[in-house]
Amino acid sequence: MPLIRDSAVVVRTHKLGEADRIIVLLTEGRGRIRAVAKGVRRTGSKFGSRLDPGSHVAVQLHEGRSELLIVTQAERIDTFSATRSDLDRLAAVAATLEVAEQLATDGGRDQPLYRKTVGVLRTIEQRPGPLVVPAFFLRLLQADGVGFELTRCVSCGEAAELVAIDPSVGGAQCRSCATGMALSADALAVLRAVSEGRVNDVLAAAPVAVGEVGRVAQVAMETHLERRLRVPGATGW
């Protein structure tokens, strides 16, 4: 049987039988795939913790008798040692993985999603902060064509003072049209910076309007996915 080699992020796992696990992978070359890691739950498994959620690995797989692939080898690309011992980082990783899995497609190559996911995992490891995951959500939404109107009122089109934001209508609103969440000037500035691609500037600066930006990012992502996230509140610690 032909071997498949790819780079992947483990986005979710669940038990199979007494000793195996089904591993859901976001791969660089094949999108979202599911594979069985045989014996991974046994003490002394050759895989160790390399196939835990949040791992970034080089994997080797082959086709089994079912539609599931079989993991035959997994080697770490990133260790993420600081993340594995920090609850705040782990919560941010959980939120990241949930959204990445939901946006991925089975067997559909999506290198931008894979690379953005790897990038945010590395950022959580190296320079964690409360705006890392909200910025990730907002950039993913923008890549999916769900960016916000942030320069004028999305409802009336006037370039008036913007005091609210409603993800369901696509952007910020003036006082007369406000139907969404209240929006401070600081939060609006952060949202504009992220939408313009200045994420590094946002992460390097002292965090402001963390709660507001986190709520906007979470509500916007839930609106886009049409489901509640399992890790609410992890978008801003």
Side-chain angles (χ1 to χ4, degrees), residues 65 91 105 120-121 152 171 193 204:
R65 295 179 180 177
T105 55
V120 77
L121 293 178
R152 58 182 64 245

Side-chain angles (χ1 to χ4, degrees), residues 3 20 52-53 55 101 105 128 145 147 166 190 199-200 211 214 222 233 237:
L3 291 176
D20 306 337
D52 287 349
S55 296
E101 181 185 5
T105 55
D166 190 340
V190 171
V199 175
N200 286 334
E222 290 177 339
W237 73 75

Side-chain angles (χ1 to χ4, degrees), residues 76-222:
R76 281 197 179 98
I77 297 173
D78 290 286
T79 59
F80 298 137
S81 55
T83 296
R84 294 201 305 271
S85 60
D86 183 274
L87 292 178
D88 286 334
R89 282 185 172 99
L90 288 172
V93 167
T96 298
L97 299 180
E98 180 180 1
V99 166
E101 181 185 5
Q102 290 297 316
L103 291 177
T105 55
D106 290 336
R109 184 174 183 175
D110 191 343
Q111 286 186 333
L113 176 59
Y114 165 81
R115 290 171 180 170
K116 284 184 174 70
T117 302
V118 170
V120 77
L121 293 178
R122 287 173 174 167
T123 302
I124 291 168
E125 169 74 13
Q126 297 164 8
R127 46 182 183 136
L131 291 174
V132 172
V133 177
F136 172 65
F137 282 12
L138 293 167
R139 293 297 286 172
L140 287 181
L141 289 168
Q142 196 168 20
D144 258 17
V146 195
F148 291 138
E149 169 57 63
L150 298 170
T151 58
R152 58 182 64 245
C153 178
V154 70
S155 298
C156 69
E158 292 295 322
E161 180 187 11
L162 302 175
V163 298
I165 187 165
D166 190 340
S168 68
V169 299
Q173 298 171 309
C174 68
R175 197 173 303 279
S176 298
C177 298
T179 59
M181 298 173 279
L183 187 68
S184 68
D186 284 342
L188 179 60
V190 171
L191 293 174
R192 283 175 173 166
V194 172
S195 72
E196 293 165 2
R198 294 185 285 115
V199 175
N200 286 334
D201 293 343
V202 169
L203 300 184
V208 296
V210 170
E212 288 179 81
V213 175
R215 283 192 298 275
V216 170
Q218 183 161 322
V219 170
M221 184 58 74
E222 290 177 339

